[in-house]
Amino acid sequence: LPSFGLLERTKKSSPFADFPQFSWSDVTDKEEIGRGSFGCVFTAKTNDGESVVVKKLLRQHERERRLFLKEAKILKSLRHKNIVEMKAVCENPLAMMLEYVFFDFAPFGLKGRVSSLQDYFDYISAKEEIVSSFACLHSKIAENTALGLQYLHEQSIAHRDLKPGNVLISNQHYYHFDDKREVKEAWVRNPITCKLVDFGESRAALQQTETMCHTRTTNADRGTVVYMAPELLASEGEPM
């Protein structure tokens, strides 16, 4: 009984005690689709056959664990159609389960499936014959991305690493239709849905503003250089 009490206290002290949780053995058919300096990303299936994405932390250093916990807390607090949904976390190994978001080109008689806006641009640009046909999606992509950012700002969150690779795209609401008429109707109603992802560099908007205004540290210029705001790249004292 004493050991059971210790187990209960340890469980309650976990920073993930209030999160929906899953076991690593609960997901199968893991296929790596991306890898970074801190972690790797898999597509996988749950026990009930649902396709999901699993983001696994590779390095268990304190800083990486802290960033992982911060991202998990942010995602747990967000509910919006243009923000990726976090389903659960795993503590051993440290990982989070996200919804699987993809855009499939099958409804247009093409082979291929992409998840990020970056992969979408790469796919489209390699097929000159279809570039003009998909140009009408650009305004919808911009609108969805702006709505996601607006929601984040309403929650006082600054993303800090917005780029095509961190915008997921989907046509899952109609990609499986066989009837061309149904596909056309769905295309007219909502041809694409975008969802923001990767909140590892995010922080409170007020904290970000105060950092910009009152400090001279490099902590403000986080993210990917080519997508940063110009003022973050200006040398001190140099006019824009």
Side-chain angles (χ1 to χ4, degrees):
L1 287 178
S3 60
F4 176 76
L6 177 61
L7 178 63
E8 285 297 300
R9 288 195 297 274
T10 302
K11 183 177 180 181
K12 289 181 180 179
S13 65
S14 166
F16 300 102
D18 295 330
F19 285 74
Q21 298 201 13
F22 72 99
S23 298
W24 190 248
S25 59
D26 290 340
V27 289
T28 58
D29 299 336
K30 303 180 187 74
E31 181 178 347
E32 186 174 322
I33 58 173
R35 179 177 287 259
S37 57
F38 299 142
C40 52
V41 181
F42 302 86
T43 55
K45 287 190 179 297
T46 63
N47 290 334
D48 59 5
E50 180 186 4
S51 294
V52 295
V53 167
V54 178
K55 185 176 180 179
K56 177 185 177 184
L57 192 66
L58 293 178
R59 294 166 52 178
Q60 294 288 326
H61 298 164
E62 180 58 32
R63 179 178 180 275
E64 283 74 41
R65 289 181 62 88
R66 186 171 64 251
L67 290 175
F68 181 94
L69 176 60
K70 180 179 71 171
E71 180 177 15
K73 284 182 175 179
I74 289 174
L75 282 172
K76 182 174 178 288
S77 69
L78 303 177
R79 290 292 183 274
H80 193 270
K81 64 179 181 179
N82 298 120
I83 304 293
V84 73
E85 177 190 354
M86 187 193 71
K87 294 179 174 293
V89 298
C90 174
E91 293 197 61
N92 186 26
L94 202 56
M96 68 174 72
M97 181 189 296
L98 307 171
E99 65 174 315
Y100 179 33
V101 179
F102 62 83
F103 187 98
D104 199 301
F105 289 90
F108 316 107
L110 301 169
K111 292 183 178 180
R113 176 180 289 187
V114 298
S115 285
S116 74
L117 186 56
Q118 182 63 64
D119 290 341
Y120 167 83
F121 286 146
D122 292 343
Y123 182 98
I124 294 296
S125 62
K127 299 181 182 295
E128 295 183 6
E129 69 277 11
I130 65 171
V131 170
S132 59
S133 299
F134 285 87
C136 60
L137 295 185
H138 295 172
S139 60
K140 189 70 173 179
I141 290 169
E143 178 188 7
N144 274 219
T145 303
L147 288 172
L149 284 175
Q150 180 183 35
Y151 172 74
L152 288 181
H153 295 168
E154 288 171 352
Q155 308 305 310
S156 299
I157 296 172
H159 188 285
R160 299 210 304 169
D161 195 17
L162 185 65
K163 57 185 179 182
N166 286 340
V167 178
L168 303 183
I169 62 172
S170 168
N171 66 345
Q172 288 159 268
H173 51 293
Y174 67 86
Y175 89 98
H176 55 287
F177 290 169
D178 294 323
D179 190 319
K180 291 184 178 180
R181 180 179 56 82
E182 288 184 303
V183 171
K184 185 176 180 179
E185 290 176 354
W187 173 269
V188 172
R189 288 195 307 271
N190 183 26
I192 192 169
T193 298
C194 300
K195 296 174 180 278
L196 306 187
V197 71
D198 199 344
F199 292 83
E201 297 293 351
S202 300
R203 71 190 309 182
L206 178 60
Q207 183 182 10
Q208 173 72 352
T209 301
E210 289 176 342
T211 299
M212 289 288 296
C213 294
H214 304 299
T215 75
R216 297 184 180 183
T217 70
T218 59
N219 197 40
D221 58 348
R222 307 297 288 272
T224 305
V225 174
V226 296
Y227 297 105
M228 287 180 182
E231 58 268 24
L232 291 177
L233 303 176
S235 300
E236 184 179 343
E238 291 184 359
M240 291 297 297

